[in-house]
Amino acid sequence: MQKQSAKVTGSGRLLVTIKSAYWIALLIIATMAMGSYFLLQQMMIAQQRDGTLNQLASAQKALSQRVVFLANAAATAEPAQRADLVDSLKRATAEFETNYDLLLVHTGANARSEARFDPRTIESVLFARPHHLDYFTVSLAANSRRLISALETASGRGRGYLAGEDRARLDATVANATLAGYTALSDRISDFSNARLAEMASRHRKLFFATIGVIVFVAMFIFRPMTHVILKKTHELVDARNSMAFIAIHDGLTGLYNRTYLTDHFDSLIKGAHRRNERMAVLQLDLDRFKQINDTLGHAAGDFVLVVTAQRMRESCRASDLCVRLGGDEFVMILQGAGTSEDINMVTKRILSRINEPINFQGATILPGASAGIAVYPVDADNANDLLVHADLALYSAKKLGGGVLSFFSEELRRELEHRKQLERDLKIAIAEQSFSVYYQPQVSLTNGAIAGVEALVRWNHPQRGMISPGEFIPVAEKSGLMADIGRIIVTKAINEAAEWHKAGVNFGRLAINVSGMELREPDFDAFLFETLDRAGLPPEKLSLEIVESVILDDEKTGIAAKLRHIRSAGVHLELDDFGTGYASLSHVNPNEIDRLKIDRRFVQNINRNGDNSKIVKAITELARGLGIAIIAEGAETEAELDSLQQIGCDQVQGFSIAFPMPDREARDWLASRMPKRPVLTVLRGDLA
């Protein structure tokens, strides 16, 4: 979880870095672009201002010449024509003065500025030698005004000038100096404009190359690494997607196809075989001693065996065939174009022979052993589900033969399958109607005959077939996943009936109920058990659960041991059933976890005549006594077997020699009949005292 969180944090940090780099690069480029834009704007404004100044300077040159021309023309013109010329001169002079004022405003020239001493400035043209343009401009305008006043006075249109017309003549020197000054001003403005334009162009060029440099820098040191990172992450994402796609249809341990792939593609394989008019063989394989390998050598050895088995399966078949691991040690091989039954038999034997070769694991030689069940399309079935079911049934038949062999699906197996399906349907009806009943077999002490307990046993009275043996319907219930439902019915009925005995004062010792691994794997089993005890009113110490060793051995994946400790801490007793028939039994004989061991019936039968069984039972009894664990033997059926058990020191027994399993009423009467009689108190009359 922490690793996944670290990956998420790293991805989030990378995303923030990429976003930050992107926005920083975008901001830098935007800043450079805005700088370039403003520089261009400044260049355009400066050019417009310089253009305006040049236009004013050019206009002033033309106006100065026009003023001189009109002045001379008006002075020499006939009186009748003079008035129009004077008016034109007046307008030209006014425009000349206005333009000069605008020129001063646009240039910002100041007569007192120190710039007038710099020959390169506009101020030097206006206010300093050699041009003194300001002086000559003012003089030209003033002379023009005097001439206009003189001419108007002479013509009778005005009275403002009294000095005489000759004194109002324009000086040619002033006119020429003014023209030269404006020419110099125009040149100076052009020089300034060109210099400013060159400087602006140089700045813009530098800014342009700087922008290109920034873009290259961003591309090389930000976007390129970022692109590499994104590309890398994209490849990782694609690889992860491909890995997920591979994992979705492949077994993680062996690399074979898994059940999902088989389910999705089996119908296509059948259609292909039908189209080609070929037979197809479905082989279901199972390792006979896989559980023993896990229990004795550990799960690492078991995994190694599975990997080697998968490799040998691939090596033994063609590329067109399909190898699948269903789960655990169950495999399926689909042989396309299988040929005749003899061909299938020969190929399957070759595959089993290869799988059954010894495997060397860390110096230990493992003989895996495998069995195979075979169903053939279209002979045995024409759909995927039935082919797998028939192959599984054939595999079960091969295992019953002792394992290490193969078995074809047959009509006999078909009839057995139909019987099992019908039995499964009947079981579902029986569960819905809670038709199961509980029989009780007493457990007694050989020393004093006291009742040690009763074992609750399931019984099923079928409406048509009568009593069906548990050995017949329990395997079907376990295979079809119905055992947990049946178990809850039996637990509830047994606890309720035992609670009635307890309330009635009937001594039954402890009620022992067999509990399967399927029931214990139910997440709410402990809650259900405690609720049933509370509702019935049976003390927890009056109940004992019988479990087999395989339930504890499977705890690595189920967590059953923790649940059993929780149940035991509440006062319920735990017993290890069928002791001596499993693997690594001694590792689970712990007085902190187990209250009683039950010796399997195969060691008890004929114990009086079988010395080996006698030694085994004696060793188990001494082991249990040394650990402080109670012990009970089941299956005692003769007086001789009871005597032998008593001599060995195994005090508690159950079996047909003690009592057969009985229904509730008979068991209650049997228990009540063996309760000690209370003494009858006789009250004497006083006169007889």
Side-chain angles (χ1 to χ4, degrees), residues 684-689:
L684 301 177
R685 293 196 308 270
D687 56 350
L688 298 177

Side-chain angles (χ1 to χ4, degrees), residues 207-218:
L207 184 60
F208 172 76
F209 286 119
T211 304
I212 296 298
V214 169
I215 293 174
V216 172
F217 175 81
V218 169

Side-chain angles (χ1 to χ4, degrees), residues 301-377:
D303 290 345
F304 183 75
V305 169
L306 293 175
V307 172
V308 172
T309 300
Q311 181 62 34
R312 290 176 176 179
M313 288 172 60
R314 279 191 291 259
E315 294 171 353
S316 302
C317 66
R318 301 163 298 179
S320 59
D321 298 332
L322 187 66
C323 297
V324 179
R325 183 190 177 201
L326 296 181
D329 61 332
E330 296 181 49
F331 298 88
V332 167
M333 294 182 68
I334 298 180
L335 308 180
Q336 302 191 63
T340 64
S341 298
E342 185 59 35
D343 295 332
I344 297 171
N345 182 68
M346 183 174 59
V347 170
T348 306
K349 283 184 177 179
R350 187 182 75 244
I351 294 171
L352 288 179
S353 176
R354 180 75 177 99
I355 293 175
N356 289 333
E357 291 178 3
I359 298 174
N360 190 349
F361 176 75
Q362 297 181 353
T365 301
I366 301 174
L367 300 175
S371 301
I374 306 169
V376 180
Y377 170 86

Side-chain angles (χ1 to χ4, degrees), residues 94 104 125 142 211 228 247 264 359 455 495 551 579 594 603 671:
L104 291 177
V125 175
T211 304
H228 287 168
I247 292 172
D264 293 341
I359 298 174
E455 180 179 7
I495 289 177
V551 171
F579 185 74
I594 298 298
F603 299 116
L671 293 170

Side-chain angles (χ1 to χ4, degrees), residues 325-500:
R325 183 190 177 201
L326 296 181
D329 61 332
E330 296 181 49
F331 298 88
V332 167
M333 294 182 68
I334 298 180
L335 308 180
Q336 302 191 63
T340 64
S341 298
E342 185 59 35
D343 295 332
I344 297 171
N345 182 68
M346 183 174 59
V347 170
T348 306
K349 283 184 177 179
R350 187 182 75 244
I351 294 171
L352 288 179
S353 176
R354 180 75 177 99
I355 293 175
N356 289 333
E357 291 178 3
I359 298 174
N360 190 349
F361 176 75
Q362 297 181 353
T365 301
I366 301 174
L367 300 175
S371 301
I374 306 169
V376 180
Y377 170 86
V379 178
D380 299 322
D382 59 357
N383 62 84
N385 185 64
D386 287 347
L387 282 170
L388 287 174
V389 171
H390 293 173
D392 182 59
L393 198 60
L395 174 62
Y396 181 71
S397 175
K399 282 186 165 296
K400 286 199 299 185
L401 296 175
V405 296
L406 63 89
S407 176
F408 281 85
F409 183 74
S410 61
E411 285 301 320
E412 182 180 352
L413 292 177
R414 189 186 300 276
R415 288 191 295 271
E416 185 177 334
L417 176 62
E418 291 300 325
H419 172 71
R420 193 180 75 177
K421 287 182 178 179
Q422 183 59 48
L423 193 61
E424 184 177 331
R425 289 191 289 268
D426 293 344
L427 280 172
K428 291 178 180 178
I429 296 173
I431 290 172
E433 298 176 352
Q434 296 195 3
S435 302
F436 301 97
S437 57
V438 184
Y439 277 44
Y440 302 90
Q441 187 172 29
Q443 302 167 341
V444 301
S445 169
L446 293 177
T447 302
N448 53 20
I451 304 299
V454 291
E455 180 179 7
L457 303 170
V458 60
R459 291 294 184 266
W460 181 25
N461 190 0
H462 193 278
Q464 286 80 36
R465 298 174 54 192
M467 278 292 184
I468 299 179
S469 168
E472 181 179 352
F473 71 82
I474 285 181
V476 176
E478 290 177 342
K479 191 79 173 178
S480 56
L482 301 174
M483 197 59 223
D485 294 331
I486 296 175
R488 294 209 173 189
I489 294 173
I490 299 305
V491 168
T492 302
K493 287 188 175 183
I495 289 177
N496 288 338
E497 290 169 356
E500 293 297 325

Side-chain angles (χ1 to χ4, degrees), residues 27-40 207 211:
L27 182 62
I28 292 173
I29 294 173
T31 303
M32 301 292 284
M34 290 297 294
S36 178
Y37 170 77
F38 285 123
L39 186 58
L40 286 173
L207 184 60
T211 304

